[in-house]
Amino acid sequence: MNDNCVIRVNGLKKIFTGREKGKTKSVEAVSGISFNVNNGEIFGLLGPNGAGKTTTMRILCTLISPTSGSVSVLGYDLLKHQNEIRKNIGYVSQKGGLELRSTGKENLILQARLYGMSSLDAERRADELIDKLDLKSFAFRKAKTFSGGQKRLFDLATGIIHKPKILFLDEPTTGLDPQSRSHVWNEVKKLYDDGTTIILTTHYLEEADVLCNRVAIINLGKIVELDNPALLKRRIIAGDIIVLNFGSGDSLEFAKKILAAESYVKEIQSADTMLQVYVDEGDRSLPVVMGLMNKNNLHVQTVSLSRPTLDDVFLKLTGRKLIEPEQLSEKD
Ligand SMILES: Nc1ncnc2c1ncn2[C@@H]1O[C@H](COP(=O)(O)OP(=O)(O)O)[C@@H](O)[C@H]1O
Ligand SMILES: [Mg+2]
């Protein structure tokens, strides 16, 4: 057993039961997952909409109860010591929770008071966070006037008002423009540098790749893989990807046949006018591949060599892309 664990999840299951058109209907949102989170790490839950990420987080935050399985947070049993757990964690939900008619600072003070701080301490803590997260230019405006990015930064500030040891962030940057996203991630990174354990969900795999020490890939309520992003890419994709674009689909099958006979080619996938060729060492294979194409009069319009991304890992594991671009603007 690893003593460094702050969260232990064992065989966690959640079945929602409701009634629809007079019939009982149940949905298994989480299907018996197990994982541990280490002290001081950023742990990412990645998966498409409906995978069970939010449900898992809400259980870990004591907001809903599990159907079965066991969870301990900071050594406290989830079912027996909810108050102790709540004192030590912060949760920023997918939708956020600002009081829109109050100013940013008033929101912080309200939250601090809810955690039992005196009004003087609450005021001090609010000022400290406004300074720390660089919120001054809009802290005194009503929250309803905030941009999406400004709201998210204040959501983050309310989540850490009581200096939690563990912070849960559900989709902290979904729907934000790239600049606001990077601002939010910078603040998350600072909290991590200060020693806070962070569990987050995100649709942005590039960011998860850079930020997370470990990621769990969730699909249909189950953990499909769990590892450090770099190790995961190496293990699942094992190599680099050469993308050959022929400009038309005509010669695709012929090119595929030629490449499939090469010993350094591990796998080939075709899409439209392109072949994705998985190879051990891209730098060395690329000139050989191009030589073969020339020799066989196969005209390659464009070629690129890429290191695998978490998107590639996800596609390989589940046969689907994590998220279609139009889903990003969807509010759920
Ligand atoms: N309160 C609820 N009642 C019934 N079904 C729910 C409820 N919350 C979530 N679900 C269902 O559980 C599944 C997982 O949802 P969720 O945890 O929100 O996924 P994610 O956050 O990964 O998008 C979905 O099928 C969703 O419709
Ligand atoms: Mg969700």
Side-chain angles (χ1 to χ4, degrees):
M1 271 245 197
N2 183 351
D3 280 328
N4 199 27
C5 285
V6 286
I7 298 177
R8 292 177 199 280
V9 177
N10 216 323
L12 181 67
K13 198 180 258 198
K14 178 71 186 180
I15 299 171
F16 289 108
T17 319
R19 286 188 77 76
E20 205 172 274
K21 291 180 189 155
K23 283 187 189 154
T24 307
K25 196 178 162 245
S26 40
V27 179
E28 188 165 292
V30 180
S31 309
I33 59 173
S34 304
F35 62 94
N36 291 339
V37 178
N38 297 324
N39 190 20
E41 76 174 335
I42 302 187
F43 186 92
L45 294 171
L46 311 181
N49 278 341
K53 306 178 298 291
T54 298
T55 305
T56 304
M57 253 194 193
R58 292 178 70 208
I59 294 172
L60 267 46
C61 291
T62 76
L63 295 170
I64 51 174
S65 53
T67 304
S68 60
S70 68
V71 177
S72 78
V73 178
L74 293 160
Y76 296 112
D77 186 292
L78 184 81
L79 299 177
K80 293 187 198 138
H81 302 287
Q82 301 199 342
N83 287 341
E84 281 78 0
I85 293 176
R86 285 179 192 169
K87 271 185 231 159
N88 287 292
I89 64 168
Y91 171 61
V92 178
S93 77
Q94 209 165 329
K95 290 182 187 136
L98 296 180
E99 170 53 63
L100 296 178
R101 285 165 303 180
S102 305
T103 67
K105 182 168 174 178
E106 283 164 357
N107 266 284
L108 295 182
I109 292 175
L110 173 69
Q111 193 71 13
R113 297 286 283 155
L114 286 174
Y115 274 101
M117 285 184 215
S118 70
S119 54
L120 188 64
D121 286 344
E123 174 98 20
R124 271 199 206 126
R125 180 67 178 146
D127 286 335
E128 189 185 2
L129 283 174
I130 288 167
D131 189 45
K132 199 174 163 196
L133 274 71
D134 203 11
L135 308 172
K136 204 165 193 159
S137 59
F138 50 96
F140 302 95
R141 283 193 349 226
K142 286 200 162 67
K144 68 178 174 199
T145 69
F146 289 175
S147 70
Q150 291 171 333
K151 273 201 189 105
R152 260 355 221 157
L153 286 169
F154 260 97
D155 283 331
L156 192 61
T158 54
I160 56 172
I161 199 94
H162 55 304
K163 301 185 181 168
K165 293 194 176 84
I166 304 177
L167 179 61
F168 292 87
L169 301 172
D170 199 359
E171 308 275 355
T173 58
T174 298
L176 299 186
D177 60 89
Q179 202 184 347
S180 307
R181 265 156 58 192
S182 114
H183 198 155
V184 170
W185 288 132
N186 282 342
E187 295 310 323
V188 172
K189 181 79 175 29
K190 281 192 214 161
L191 293 168
Y192 164 73
D193 290 338
D194 288 345
T196 311
T197 304
I198 295 160
I199 292 103
L200 58 84
T201 68
T202 178
H203 280 134
Y204 299 103
L205 292 189
E206 272 171 48
E207 293 162 343
D209 196 345
V210 177
L211 270 170
C212 296
N213 300 98
R214 291 191 305 146
V215 294
I217 295 187
I218 304 190
N219 198 28
L220 304 171
K222 291 199 174 76
I223 293 186
V224 194
E225 275 291 345
L226 192 166
D227 215 330
N228 164 271
L231 294 178
L232 203 56
K233 285 184 291 185
R234 208 173 307 151
R235 195 153 53 76
I236 306 296
I237 307 287
D240 300 329
I241 307 165
I242 297 173
V243 181
L244 302 170
N245 192 347
F246 294 90
S248 90
D250 301 344
S251 41
L252 229 49
E253 279 311 309
F254 182 45
K256 199 170 172 180
K257 208 169 139 197
I258 292 170
L259 289 166
E262 296 295 299
S263 61
Y264 54 85
V265 173
K266 309 188 80 124
E267 194 183 330
I268 308 172
Q269 281 173 0
S270 38
D272 283 340
T273 61
M274 289 180 282
L275 286 185
Q276 294 209 334
V277 188
Y278 295 82
V279 296
D280 286 329
E281 289 173 83
D283 303 346
R284 285 171 57 172
S285 312
L286 184 61
V288 186
V289 167
M290 290 313 285
L292 267 176
M293 296 297 106
N294 279 338
K295 201 171 118 193
N296 289 283
N297 287 326
L298 288 162
H299 180 64
V300 177
Q301 217 166 53
T302 57
V303 58
S304 66
L305 170 64
S306 60
R307 309 266 174 237
T309 62
L310 281 181
D311 279 298
D312 300 319
V313 171
F314 195 81
L315 185 65
K316 187 96 185 279
L317 287 172
T318 64
R320 56 197 278 211
K321 285 191 85 61
L322 177 59
I323 188 165
E324 306 303 337
E326 67 271 18
Q327 264 180 275
L328 286 175
S329 53
E330 213 176 78
K331 298 269 176 287
D332 55 352

